[in-house]
Amino acid sequence: MSIVKSSLLASTMLCAVFVASSVAAQTANTTQNPPSTPTPPSKPASNEVVVTGSRLHHTTFNTPAPVQVITNHDARLEGLIDSISVLQGSTAAAGYTQINNQFGGYVVNGGPGISSLSLRGLGGQRTLVLLNGRRLNPAGVSGTVADVDLNVIPDALVERYEVLKDGASSIYGSDAIGGVVNIITRNKFDGLNIETNDSIPQEGAGKQFEVAVSGGRVRDNYHVLFGLQYFQENAIRIRDLPGGACPLELQRLPTGGPYNFGRSYADGSPYCANTQTNNVSDFSTGGVWVYDPSQGAQFPYSPFSQSHFGTVPRLTNIATDPRTADVDAASPSRRAAFTLIGAADLPHNVEFYFEDLLTNRRSQQAAFLPQLFPATDNDIVAVSQNPFNPFTSAENGPDFVQPILTMPVTQQTQDVWAGRALFGLRGDFGSFLKGWKWDTSLTYGLSRAHYTTDTVLAHRFENALNVVVAPSGTDPALVRFNPVDGLSYTCAVNVSNPAEKCYPLNFFESSAQLTRDPALAYMRTVDKGHTSYDQVVFDATADGPIFNLPAGPVQGVIGIEYRYDSLDDYPGKYAVAHDYFNLSSAGVTRGDNGVVELYLEGEAPLLKGKPLVDSLTLNVSTRYTNYRSGGSDLTYKLNLNWQIIPSLRARATYGTSFRGPALYENYLAAQTSFTGALDPCAQYGVNAAPTSNLYKNCASEGLPGNFLGYSSTPEVFTQGAQGRLKSETSKNLTVGPVWQPSFADLQVSVSYFHIEVDNEITTLGPDNILNLCYDSSQFRNGSPYCTLISPRDSNNNIALIDDSYLNVAQQLVSGIDADLVYRKKFDIGEFTLDLKTTYAIEDKQELFPGSPVTNYTGTFGEPRWNGNLQLLFRHKDWTFDWSMRYLGEQNEYPITGETPGGRYLEFQKDQLYHSLGVEYQGDKWRATFVIRNLFNDYPPVISNNPDAAFASRVGEFANGYGNLNLYGRSFYFSLSKDF
């Protein structure tokens, strides 16, 4: 960052520290502002609201659990339109990988287009999302639907977001391991409101637009509120990013210097680190050839030529495909939502209430640039024996070759309808149980989705390769001339079945020619799948005073919850037939489960008005959970709230949590794919010490030290593990002080958190399985990793890797949250400083007992520090906002084993993004203008490193973490009008 911006940051942070440390000298009014009630959409919501950190009510800073409250009004002042940006940008989430529209080409839970929330980096399936205090149902596509899709949230109706930053299974039920998010909407509004929000990037890509209409009626005995909303987000292609059209390798020379070195071509043009194409590996000779049409149609290839690293310039003739830049860095989507909320009084002091939500998401992805190449031995033989193979001689016959081409960018679409209908009754027990209230509700949630992907079909690929000399009378449109032998060929299948309309494939043409080739049109198709997810929840609670202690009344809650979930995914007829060529395919996933939960919560004031004990309150909760498939467990949570003196409070929570396997973890039908993982034994004689386990294990299989690695890509097999999985359990500790001095409107809280998840359910990934097996001292004689890998065949290839779901040993996450809110009234207005930050101490993962423990804290996607600072000044009808979002440095060297300061830049410096906003509040209208990313900053660049298990790139940025700021400077406009 520039010196100017560094100074700006330093002065701003210094201002925050000065405010916190100097308030003792102030003589401000000692009266705290009481919490205010919810207000219409055109009015700012209060920063002090009643939150639900338990089934009992507390405020943000006096709850025993750490709760972060984000008002929708303050989020709009920062230029954040949707719930995805707000929640994934909260400090409990921003320091970890988040799934959103930056994952278009990845396989993620819920399928492409989903946006989920992972608190503390524990995953969306361990983060519970509530809407108005009740569980929100999952939505998405594919056989892995389990997470809540944040796209279904009616953003325009949201009043505030409450983020409970510790485990709460005993309070809210299973899945609440990493934390709980409670999204609170407005429920009372009399009138009509129209609001538009527009975010326009300076560079033009990634525009966001939203229009919402809401209205309601409030009367003495009923109230009703409706909302209609439309949101659209345009794509950001890789070419829209700085350096995206031609990403450079950005390496460092052995002699030192900046990270700006890369390959180039003979004409002086730079080598663009896109997907490689138009080359052939000749396994018979060990050579590599590059497509070169100047050599003639019979043999259009030149030998691969490349200078050694360190040569300046480093020349190469290997080709890459510029269409890589047409892949989405952030994929587009459109969504619409209808919401209906209301309540009506019934006789006997009973209230009937309802919440109905219906949303539609239509998303699409230019997902990735696929390569077309024979991956298995059988395919390599078929391609090599094809008469179009120019690598052949009369004496020796055809060489065994592996050509690599690229096809047009793969397109995917999703059309997801998600809904929730909730009906409930609530009231009190009257004189029967004085002071006690009851609440019961029934919720039905559903997701109905259709999705498509384009793919090459394996049987058509085989047909296009299996050719014969075209018989007389063959349809000329199905005949291809072969420049190698001068004959004309057609697909063998056409002879017996002319209706197949197969066109022969010439694997030895260029990718540009393949794009227009009738063979590709024949092989490629669009497969259509559909997914259904249903959830039914019945919940009943009663709460009230139990008895009185000297320090005050003891409150209690008792409740029961029943939940039923079912999943049915049909991924498409070609996927079910495992007819995809070199692409993941899947079977039909179908399963259901039910769970019954009984819970109790009580809160007792133990002491009050004693020396150093202004008050001492204990909150205890427990829940019994019984899955029909997944076992049962009893969880509990202890909350201690110790008001030492009026200005100083200590709070601590300790609890256990429980999560049964998700439906897909139990029932996912077999998925098959091919991995790009490198053979760990490749060149082991050079890369490994003779005393290492890797060296010994590779040698024990009879592999030479100069072994080049498997020639056939292993197939990866993934499926659910019903009957073999244990339920996850966890322990969660949170402890820290809260300071609220009387001499200033200041609130400071610091919380240490420690979460330990045991029997975590996950997949290991083929890279991990291979490396952990070959690095094991037990190897084939007892290593649990090696049981997941098939023995090498006669060609030294590995046929299958089993990457199914299993229980791993544990994941341990710990860190420190610090929040500071300061308000000061002046004659000309009111100033607010709101600072929230998280320091991550560790994110350790152990796959099996005794296996190596890896700490991912500080690596790519998991900065140690992240924080948000918002400075507000309100003057009459005007509000001015200056907000900052900070991500600390990230270092991948501990993961890749590369040398810091060496050839590859695997380090991201810290990032600071500013926004500047102003709002005017009229009588019945509001206008907001924000400049987001004021200084037009982008993430730090990293090197292209194709030779290691290193982070992939989107353009020149690290990819695959979901927390990249890809928008550059943007201009946000909002206009809201009440009628």
Side-chain angles (χ1 to χ4, degrees):
M1 82 183 52
S2 68
I3 296 176
V4 172
K5 285 183 282 185
S6 298
S7 301
L8 190 59
L9 170 62
S11 62
T12 304
M13 295 301 183
L14 183 62
C15 172
V17 173
F18 174 76
V19 168
S21 60
S22 64
V23 288
Q26 300 179 10
T27 57
N29 191 326
T30 61
T31 303
Q32 298 286 323
N33 294 327
S36 61
T37 57
T39 54
S42 60
K43 301 292 184 182
S46 170
N47 284 319
E48 292 192 29
V49 293
V50 175
V51 299
T52 307
S54 72
R55 296 280 177 171
L56 305 170
H57 291 168
H58 302 274
T59 64
T60 306
F61 283 88
N62 72 17
T63 176
V67 178
Q68 178 181 352
V69 177
I70 307 169
T71 68
N72 195 35
H73 174 259
D74 286 351
R76 296 295 170 99
L77 276 172
E78 197 178 341
L80 304 178
I81 293 180
D82 62 348
S83 302
I84 300 167
S85 302
V86 176
L87 292 173
Q88 293 188 347
S90 64
T91 54
Y96 304 96
T97 298
Q98 301 297 324
I99 303 300
N100 51 35
N101 65 345
Q102 296 180 22
F103 280 80
Y106 289 76
V107 177
V108 297
N109 291 345
I114 191 175
S115 293
S116 58
L117 183 66
S118 172
L119 295 180
R120 306 301 193 198
L122 295 175
Q125 68 272 40
R126 299 177 190 90
T127 299
L128 183 61
V129 179
L130 309 175
L131 182 64
N132 292 322
R134 289 175 172 81
R135 184 182 293 261
L136 195 56
N137 51 286
V141 301
S142 81
T144 59
V145 174
D147 301 349
V148 169
D149 185 3
L150 301 181
N151 286 291
V152 309
I153 297 171
D155 309 313
L157 286 182
V158 173
E159 179 185 272
R160 66 184 186 274
Y161 307 87
E162 301 172 357
V163 183
L164 177 63
K165 296 183 287 186
D166 67 354
S169 275
S170 63
I171 300 171
Y172 292 109
S174 58
D175 309 338
I177 292 178
V180 179
V181 170
N182 193 5
I183 301 159
I184 307 298
T185 64
R186 291 179 285 121
N187 62 3
K188 291 184 179 181
F189 174 59
D190 205 352
L192 181 70
N193 174 266
I194 299 177
E195 180 177 342
T196 63
N197 298 284
D198 222 334
S199 182
I200 305 173
Q202 180 174 289
E203 304 301 327
K207 178 182 177 181
Q208 296 177 318
F209 169 75
E210 179 185 69
V211 60
V213 178
S214 60
R217 191 159 196 175
V218 179
R219 294 296 181 265
D220 292 339
N221 58 347
Y222 75 91
H223 62 86
V224 64
L225 173 69
F226 79 89
L228 287 169
Q229 175 182 323
Y230 174 79
F231 174 88
Q232 178 174 318
E233 181 172 14
N234 295 343
I236 300 177
R237 300 287 170 88
I238 292 177
R239 70 172 61 258
D240 297 320
L241 304 175
C246 179
L248 303 179
E249 295 185 283
L250 302 177
Q251 299 171 5
R252 171 180 277 174
L253 286 167
T255 55
Y259 285 95
N260 62 1
F261 180 70
R263 286 170 281 183
S264 59
Y265 296 105
D267 62 1
S269 60
Y271 170 88
C272 301
N274 292 316
T275 304
Q276 290 189 351
T277 188
N278 296 345
N279 61 82
V280 176
S281 295
D282 189 332
F283 298 126
S284 298
T285 64
V288 177
W289 297 79
V290 176
Y291 185 81
D292 182 1
S294 68
Q295 300 300 312
Q298 283 190 307
F299 191 83
Y301 290 93
S302 292
F304 168 62
S305 174
Q306 184 165 280
S307 307
H308 292 292
F309 179 69
T311 306
V312 182
R314 189 188 183 201
L315 299 180
T316 187
N317 66 345
I318 197 76
T320 64
D321 196 324
R323 292 177 297 182
T324 306
D326 295 327
V327 172
D328 288 335
S331 59
S333 67
R334 295 175 294 161
R335 59 180 187 261
F338 172 73
T339 309
L340 187 65
I341 301 173
D345 294 340
L346 300 178
H348 308 294
N349 204 25
V350 174
E351 182 183 56
F352 167 75
Y353 61 93
F354 58 89
E355 293 179 13
D356 297 316
L357 173 66
L358 181 63
T359 67
N360 175 245
R361 164 171 63 92
R362 296 187 178 182
S363 50
Q364 63 188 67
Q365 298 81 35
F368 55 92
L369 186 74
Q371 290 181 319
L372 182 69
F373 62 93
T376 66
D377 283 346
N378 290 337
D379 288 338
I380 290 173
V381 170
V383 170
S384 301
Q385 295 179 346
N386 185 276
F388 290 91
N389 179 9
F391 295 86
T392 186
S393 65
E395 299 81 11
N396 301 316
D399 290 353
F400 289 99
V401 294
Q402 185 183 53
I404 296 179
L405 300 174
T406 44
M407 298 181 289
V409 174
T410 294
Q411 303 292 326
Q412 300 173 334
T413 69
Q414 304 82 41
D415 186 354
V416 183
W417 287 90
R420 187 179 85 152
L422 181 151
F423 302 95
L425 295 170
R426 56 193 169 207
D428 59 53
F429 290 94
S431 58
F432 174 68
L433 282 174
K434 189 175 181 181
W436 277 74
K437 299 178 180 179
W438 57 270
D439 191 332
T440 183
S441 64
L442 179 65
T443 305
Y444 173 61
L446 62 83
S447 173
R448 298 290 183 268
H450 297 271
Y451 57 102
T452 68
T453 186
D454 53 13
T455 183
V456 169
L457 298 182
H459 83 276
R460 293 184 183 176
F461 174 81
E462 294 170 0
N463 288 344
L465 277 182
N466 184 17
V467 298
V468 296
V469 175
S472 176
T474 302
D475 184 350
L478 305 178
V479 176
R480 183 171 204 145
F481 175 75
N482 184 3
V484 175
D485 60 13
L487 300 177
S488 295
Y489 291 84
T490 190
C491 302
V493 70
N494 292 333
V495 178
S496 58
N497 181 19
E500 181 67 21
K501 302 292 185 182
C502 172
Y503 191 80
L505 172 64
N506 180 3
F507 233 126
F508 302 91
E509 61 181 352
S510 71
S511 295
Q513 292 169 319
L514 177 67
T515 300
R516 304 183 298 271
D517 198 324
L520 181 61
Y522 165 72
M523 295 186 299
R524 218 172 190 195
T525 191
V526 175
D527 206 11
K528 301 177 181 180
H530 55 82
T531 307
S532 298
Y533 196 103
D534 294 88
Q535 183 180 84
V536 179
V537 181
F538 172 76
D539 182 81
T541 64
D543 68 278
I546 303 175
F547 57 86
N548 289 324
L549 291 176
V554 175
Q555 303 286 328
V557 178
I558 183 171
I560 182 172
E561 180 177 305
Y562 171 76
R563 186 169 70 256
Y564 171 82
D565 292 83
S566 68
L567 170 64
D568 189 342
D569 175 66
Y570 182 82
K573 63 179 182 179
Y574 298 114
V576 171
H578 297 286
D579 199 16
Y580 289 179
F581 179 74
N582 285 4
L583 190 66
S584 299
S585 62
V588 176
T589 296
R590 184 176 292 119
D592 62 359
N593 203 357
V595 58
V596 176
E597 297 181 301
L598 306 173
Y599 54 91
L600 298 169
E601 182 182 0
E603 185 168 282
L606 302 181
L607 294 173
K608 184 177 182 180
K610 304 294 183 181
L612 295 181
V613 185
D614 196 64
S615 66
L616 181 64
T617 303
L618 176 66
N619 181 287
V620 180
S621 58
T622 185
R623 178 178 291 248
Y624 173 73
T625 301
N626 185 9
Y627 280 93
R628 191 185 68 203
S629 174
S632 60
D633 197 12
L634 185 70
T635 57
Y636 65 90
K637 187 173 185 180
L638 305 175
N639 303 282
L640 192 64
N641 212 350
W642 177 18
Q643 189 77 46
I644 304 170
I645 56 177
S647 61
L648 182 63
R649 178 189 302 268
R651 59 187 180 186
T653 70
Y654 178 80
T656 61
S657 293
F658 175 80
R659 186 183 79 89
L663 292 180
Y664 72 89
E665 293 166 338
N666 267 333
Y667 300 107
L668 180 68
Q671 291 186 338
T672 59
S673 61
F674 292 92
T675 179
L678 301 177
D679 191 327
C681 290
Q683 296 288 339
Y684 75 90
V686 177
N687 299 325
T691 57
S692 67
N693 290 329
L694 174 62
Y695 189 101
K696 296 175 182 178
N697 293 335
C698 294
S700 72
E701 295 191 312
L703 303 175
N706 62 350
F707 177 60
L708 297 178
Y710 37 63
S711 60
S712 180
T713 305
E715 186 176 18
V716 180
F717 177 85
T718 304
Q719 70 175 7
Q722 184 189 18
R724 303 195 305 272
L725 293 176
K726 301 177 182 178
S727 294
E728 296 178 352
T729 60
S730 71
K731 297 183 285 289
N732 191 310
L733 170 69
T734 304
V735 60
V738 179
W739 183 44
Q740 294 177 279
S742 60
F743 50 76
D745 193 350
L746 173 69
Q747 301 156 328
V748 181
S749 69
V750 178
S751 299
Y752 167 78
F753 62 88
H754 179 102
I755 306 172
E756 181 179 315
V757 183
D758 295 310
N759 294 322
E760 191 171 70
I761 302 171
T762 188
T763 57
L764 300 179
D767 293 85
N768 285 330
I769 294 172
L770 286 167
N771 292 326
L772 290 168
C773 170
Y774 278 87
D775 284 334
S776 169
S777 60
Q778 297 173 303
F779 194 46
R780 299 284 186 180
N781 297 316
S783 168
Y785 308 107
C786 294
T787 63
L788 306 175
I789 302 173
S790 64
R792 290 184 185 264
D793 60 23
S794 58
N795 295 318
N796 292 323
N797 290 320
I798 295 172
L800 185 67
I801 300 174
D802 185 354
D803 192 25
S804 296
Y805 288 94
L806 46 72
N807 292 102
V808 301
Q810 67 174 208
Q811 181 177 359
L812 191 154
V813 179
S814 66
I816 298 173
D817 293 322
D819 296 350
L820 183 152
V821 177
Y822 171 72
R823 300 184 186 89
K824 173 66 176 176
K825 289 186 177 180
F826 300 92
D827 292 339
I828 60 172
E830 181 179 1
F831 169 76
T832 301
L833 182 151
D834 190 344
L835 173 66
K836 294 177 173 61
T837 184
T838 295
Y839 175 76
I841 298 175
E842 58 189 351
D843 178 8
K844 292 182 177 179
Q845 298 183 31
E846 181 185 20
L847 297 181
F848 291 103
S851 66
V853 177
T854 304
N855 185 5
Y856 291 96
T857 298
T859 61
F860 283 3
E862 294 198 19
R864 285 195 179 273
W865 282 100
N866 86 89
N868 299 326
L869 174 64
Q870 187 171 43
L871 305 175
L872 295 171
F873 189 81
R874 293 184 173 90
H875 170 69
K876 296 182 179 179
D877 296 329
W878 292 88
T879 302
F880 302 91
D881 171 89
W882 183 9
S883 295
M884 283 160 273
R885 291 183 174 262
Y886 175 78
L887 290 175
E889 62 184 34
Q890 300 164 62
N891 178 6
E892 196 74 354
Y893 292 116
I895 303 298
T896 63
E898 297 286 345
T899 303
R903 176 177 176 179
Y904 299 109
L905 176 62
E906 303 180 359
F907 174 84
Q908 297 182 69
K909 64 181 181 179
D910 56 354
Q911 305 165 55
L912 181 65
Y913 300 99
H914 299 255
S915 67
L916 193 63
V918 60
E919 176 186 273
Y920 178 79
Q921 176 69 63
D923 183 26
K924 288 191 175 183
W925 63 280
R926 183 186 71 238
T928 308
F929 173 70
V930 182
I931 305 177
R932 294 181 59 193
N933 195 356
L934 182 64
F935 297 107
N936 201 32
D937 290 315
Y938 282 91
V941 298
I942 62 171
S943 295
N944 178 54
N945 182 353
D947 300 322
F950 180 58
S952 61
R953 299 198 306 175
V954 49
E956 296 176 345
F957 309 137
N959 187 28
Y961 305 103
N963 53 15
L964 294 180
N965 185 356
L966 302 178
Y967 292 91
R969 184 183 293 116
S970 301
F971 303 97
Y972 168 82
F973 305 88
S974 177
L975 183 63
S976 177
K977 171 65 176 174
D978 291 341
F979 297 91

